[in-house]
Amino acid sequence: MWYNDLRPDSELTSDKYSLIMLDNENYSRLLSDEDKQRTISNLIRLKTGITQHIPSKKVDKNLLLGSWNIKNFGRLKDRTAESVYYIAEIINAFDIVAIQEINSNINQFKQVLRLLGSHWKHTLSDVTEGSSGNDERFGFIYDSRRVTHSGLSGEIVIPPEFIENSPIIRQLKRTPSFTGFESGWKKFSIISVHLHPGDDNNDPGEPTDQEIRDEEVRLLMKILEEKLATSAYEDRNMIILGDTNLYEDDGDIVNRLMQQGFLESEGLAGKFTNTSLNQIYDRIFLNVENYFKIATDENGQENGGVFNLFEYVYIDTPDEIALYHELMLEHKDDPSTLTDASKFKTYFNRYWKRNQISDHLPVWIEIETDSSSAFLTSKASQF
């Protein structure tokens, strides 16, 4: 991580050219001394939380794969430089992070890349056009010291012959990205998705949100069925992840994935992934060969989880909330409604901190990258 912007101004007399957190118009500093002190304190706390909840990176042993819907990444004009630091610090804990809701403006995305350092690389899909695409694209940020891009990169588009006479949809609303990676013994592809949201019936005669989402998954599975049948053996390790928007009553949709051989990571199954901790939106499903293993803990449970960053930054306590009163007054359309501590608390939790970071929490799994022992054992038994 590149923490240069957090140094006192007195130390930057000859290094100002390397600053990242500058206003795009007049190149003024985006972090005051007070901002720097608060950000440093919170980063120390955040790093402690990451160490406690996310495995460390082990050379030639593991790969940490994350997925994160970062709310309107690029569109929210009031996201602060402080918040961008926290986003970058969390991404830095993993080896690959699939990101959903990157908008057409990628200035904040570029800031994160610069904070991470030159060994971090990325891929970006194009923005899905049309109002239903919501000005969104998919991206991957990955540590090139630990994983490489295999060269496979594309988007999944529904061919016309897959569409029925009276279709519920003709394309997925956000065109999924399809990207290949390699690390150690592992070669795999990741399909990053952001499925149709909502759990309402909609207008009479119109398909329900669940029916739209189910059709998106059905068409996606139809395409992947062909890819799994025709791909080279080493390319058949597939991972579907992202903001699946799967609700408690979406069991039939989950079954579509399972029938195609995509199994949910045990370490993530059933865990709430939104900021309110009441929905399981973000999931990771794998369809992989025998040598592709998720690392396990001492009890044999697959390693994976949800990192609740709000236990370490933008904490819901009176003293922490008070630190951001001024910013909340500046960002709220009608600041006159913030009349007491209770109003600040409600706005802070329902809107402000979610606009600073996200209304989703990052999810992750740990993949074993060294299959040498299992491979040699299996070959020895063949003689």
Side-chain angles (χ1 to χ4, degrees):
M1 281 282 293
W2 184 250
Y3 301 110
N4 200 46
D5 287 76
L6 299 178
R7 294 163 62 186
D9 284 354
S10 60
E11 294 184 5
L12 293 170
T13 53
S14 61
D15 288 339
K16 289 186 178 180
Y17 68 91
S18 63
L19 296 177
I20 297 168
M21 297 303 179
L22 297 172
D23 181 87
N24 289 329
E25 295 182 1
N26 55 28
Y27 299 102
S28 60
R29 299 291 299 277
L30 293 177
L31 290 161
S32 66
D33 285 345
E34 181 182 358
D35 295 334
K36 292 178 191 178
Q37 290 177 320
R38 184 177 61 241
T39 304
I40 289 172
S41 176
N42 286 346
L43 281 172
I44 292 171
R45 189 164 57 193
L46 180 60
K47 289 171 76 70
T48 299
I50 288 171
T51 300
Q52 292 173 346
H53 295 286
I54 298 172
S56 59
K57 301 178 183 182
K58 305 178 183 72
V59 176
D60 297 330
K61 291 293 183 181
N62 71 346
L63 183 75
L64 298 171
L65 170 63
S67 178
W68 196 5
N69 178 325
I70 302 178
K71 183 178 179 181
N72 289 332
F73 196 26
R75 184 190 298 168
L76 292 176
K77 59 182 176 59
D78 291 328
R79 183 176 275 127
T80 64
E82 175 182 347
S83 297
V84 174
Y85 258 106
Y86 303 149
I87 290 169
E89 190 69 53
I90 292 167
I91 291 173
N92 188 60
F94 304 104
D95 297 307
I96 310 175
V97 179
I99 301 176
Q100 301 87 43
E101 282 202 29
I102 304 170
N103 300 129
S104 55
N105 185 328
I106 60 171
N107 287 335
Q108 289 180 348
F109 184 86
K110 288 181 176 179
Q111 284 179 329
V112 166
L113 285 171
R114 291 185 65 191
L115 290 176
L116 288 168
S118 59
H119 56 280
W120 284 85
K121 309 300 181 183
H122 73 281
T123 69
L124 274 178
S125 70
D126 195 7
V127 172
T128 302
E129 301 293 347
S131 58
S132 62
N134 201 34
D135 190 39
E136 291 179 26
R137 67 173 98 222
F138 297 93
F140 290 94
I141 299 179
Y142 62 96
D143 186 343
S144 63
R145 301 170 304 179
R146 304 255 302 159
V147 62
T148 59
H149 183 208
S150 70
L152 171 65
S153 184
E155 298 179 332
I156 295 180
V157 178
I158 310 301
E161 57 267 28
F162 282 20
I163 305 300
E164 298 175 348
N165 292 331
S166 300
I168 293 176
I169 61 170
R170 295 184 181 276
Q171 293 290 340
L172 276 70
K173 288 192 171 184
R174 290 96 157 183
T175 306
S177 67
F178 187 45
T179 309
F181 295 96
E182 297 180 34
S183 179
W185 284 64
K186 301 297 178 285
K187 185 172 183 178
F188 54 95
S189 56
I190 303 177
I191 299 96
S192 184
V193 301
H194 189 177
L195 299 180
H196 177 78
D199 200 21
D200 298 322
N201 292 324
N202 298 331
D203 296 329
E206 295 294 320
T208 66
D209 290 330
Q210 187 181 60
E211 288 171 339
I212 295 172
R213 190 161 50 250
D214 182 59
E215 182 67 359
E216 286 187 323
V217 172
R218 186 188 74 82
L219 291 170
L220 179 61
M221 290 299 100
K222 192 169 182 178
I223 288 179
L224 294 184
E225 181 180 13
E226 293 191 1
K227 291 185 180 298
L228 286 164
T230 58
S231 297
Y233 180 77
E234 64 272 16
D235 291 335
R236 294 181 191 174
N237 292 320
M238 288 189 185
I239 302 172
I240 296 175
L241 50 65
D243 181 0
T244 60
N245 278 313
L246 292 172
Y247 297 76
E248 289 185 5
D249 56 351
D250 280 343
D252 290 344
I253 302 177
V254 174
N255 286 336
R256 283 195 186 278
L257 291 156
M258 296 179 65
Q259 289 165 5
Q260 195 56 52
F262 287 91
L263 303 180
E264 186 168 12
S265 165
E266 293 175 3
L268 271 173
K271 294 183 178 178
F272 297 134
T273 70
N274 61 332
T275 301
S276 299
L277 297 178
N278 60 5
Q279 294 290 347
I280 311 170
Y281 290 141
D282 308 87
R283 304 196 184 190
I284 301 178
F285 297 90
L286 300 93
N287 186 336
V288 293
E289 45 89 9
N290 291 335
Y291 292 119
F292 198 106
K293 301 291 186 183
I294 297 179
T296 56
D297 60 20
E298 61 275 9
N299 299 316
Q301 178 76 20
E302 291 181 351
N303 282 345
V306 183
F307 181 64
N308 191 347
L309 59 109
F310 293 116
E311 293 179 354
Y312 305 98
V313 297
Y314 302 135
I315 300 172
D316 182 17
T317 64
D319 288 344
E320 287 285 325
I321 295 172
L323 295 174
Y324 300 100
H325 278 192
E326 186 175 335
L327 277 174
M328 284 189 274
L329 288 167
E330 180 182 333
H331 294 167
K332 198 172 192 308
D333 291 337
D334 183 7
S336 66
T337 61
L338 298 176
T339 55
D340 55 36
S342 175
K343 299 289 187 182
F344 274 108
K345 177 182 174 69
T346 299
Y347 178 60
F348 176 83
N349 284 301
R350 288 186 182 175
Y351 303 104
W352 191 80
K353 72 179 183 182
R354 302 179 190 211
N355 290 340
Q356 288 303 305
I357 305 288
S358 185
D359 48 354
H360 291 250
L361 303 173
V363 300
W364 61 272
I365 59 173
E366 181 185 11
I367 299 168
E368 292 182 359
T369 55
D370 182 5
S371 301
S372 57
S373 295
F375 175 82
L376 292 171
T377 299
S378 69
K379 297 309 170 188
S381 64
Q382 295 178 9
F383 290 97

